[in-house]
Amino acid sequence: MDERAMMDWPLIPFGLSLPLAFAGGVALGFAYFSALRMTATLIVRGGSPLLGLAMALGRLAVLGAGFYLAVQAGALALLAAFSGVMLAKALILRHTRREGA
């Protein structure tokens, strides 16, 4: 089996993989930045350092796994997933700024 046959993702058509990767990136971004906020709150309130470390490692592992799945669909799907994560970051920052104002 050659490398092209191993990396082919025939289950999802190309026109559908990019919107799915973008939507997955948005969901991944909301999960990542929500967990980041919970970790920051834990640290500020003097919670357990081991729990903070576990949360940091967990959110990095989930983000890495999500990007790994996206890269299986190709570079454009990876860029779409990354764009979704950045959109989620912008939306969470906008919400946080309005909440604080």
Side-chain angles (χ1 to χ4, degrees):
M1 184 178 292
D2 66 348
E3 65 274 1
R4 292 188 63 83
M6 290 174 58
M7 295 180 353
D8 191 23
W9 208 10
L11 298 176
I12 300 175
F14 180 73
L16 189 59
S17 68
L18 294 182
L20 283 176
F22 181 76
V26 171
L28 192 62
F30 274 117
Y32 179 84
F33 290 109
S34 296
L36 179 63
R37 185 172 184 168
M38 289 188 322
T39 304
T41 303
L42 176 78
I43 291 170
V44 168
R45 292 187 179 164
S48 170
L50 287 178
L51 181 59
L53 179 64
M55 289 175 69
L57 292 175
R59 75 171 181 268
L60 284 174
V62 169
L63 187 68
F67 283 149
Y68 178 76
L69 286 176
V71 83
Q72 297 303 310
L76 290 177
L78 178 62
L79 288 174
F82 180 73
S83 299
V85 170
M86 291 295 104
L87 175 67
K89 176 186 171 189
L91 292 174
I92 286 180
L93 282 175
R94 176 187 285 176
H95 176 71
T96 303
R97 287 181 183 146
R98 283 186 183 174
E99 192 177 88

